[in-house]
């Protein structure tokens, strides 16, 4: 994953998105459906109907970037809402891209005594 600048917010577009859309179509969806500025430097994440494909739209200051990832097995964990957006942290985005359930991450066991 490309390192995002500090202060970059990650927005998941709830519901299903037509994955035939490219940069311009997704940027238009950000403006109309999410009421956000696609050129604001934030990351917008969209998921297809089957759930194994996501697209990330990001303005890096020089141009619009479109990243695509398809899982070979499994599905990306997505909110149950059918409209709106959900804000994620950079760590949650990393988990999402790895196919991990970012909603309920479990911390590893921590010992109570040193010896």
């Amino acid at each position: 994953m490309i390192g995002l600048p500090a202060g970059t917010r990650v927005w998941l577009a709830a519901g299903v998105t037509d994955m035939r859309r490219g940069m311009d179509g997704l940027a238009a969806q950000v403006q109309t459906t999410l009421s956000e500025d696609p050129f604001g430097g934030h990351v917008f994440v969209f998921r297809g109907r089957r759930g194994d494909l996501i697209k990330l739209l990001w303005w890096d200051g020089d141009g619009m970037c479109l990243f695509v990832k398809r899982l070979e097995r499994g599905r990306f964990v997505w909110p149950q809402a059918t409209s709106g957006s959900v804000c994620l942290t950079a760590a949650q985005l990393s988990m999402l891209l790895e196919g991990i359930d970012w909603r309920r991450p479990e911390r590893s066991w921590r010992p109570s005594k040193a010896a």
Side-chain angles (χ1 to χ4, degrees):
M1 176 67 189
I2 295 173
L4 299 174
T8 301
R9 299 186 80 175
V10 179
W11 295 99
L12 286 187
V16 175
T17 301
D18 182 356
M19 288 288 107
R20 295 174 292 181
R21 292 183 180 187
M23 288 183 200
D24 296 331
L26 293 174
Q29 184 174 347
V30 168
Q31 286 179 326
T32 57
T33 307
L34 304 179
S35 300
E36 294 286 338
D37 178 14
F39 304 105
H42 300 300
V43 177
F44 299 93
V45 187
F46 305 90
R47 189 183 90 153
R49 183 168 307 284
R50 290 188 317 194
D52 64 342
L53 182 71
I54 60 172
K55 289 186 177 184
L56 286 76
L57 187 69
W58 175 45
W59 174 261
D60 69 354
D62 295 324
M64 189 67 75
C65 302
L66 181 64
F67 301 96
V68 179
K69 181 164 184 178
R70 183 185 69 208
L71 289 178
E72 296 302 322
R73 289 188 312 182
R75 300 181 190 280
F76 291 102
V77 176
W78 215 248
Q80 295 297 320
T82 57
S83 64
S85 60
V86 175
C87 188
L88 298 183
T89 64
Q92 288 172 320
L93 175 61
S94 294
M95 286 185 273
L96 172 71
L97 291 173
E98 293 294 324
I100 299 170
D101 188 350
W102 53 269
R103 299 170 302 175
R104 292 183 301 274
E106 293 186 24
R107 301 209 183 270
S108 59
W109 178 77
R110 185 173 176 192
S112 57
K113 295 182 181 180

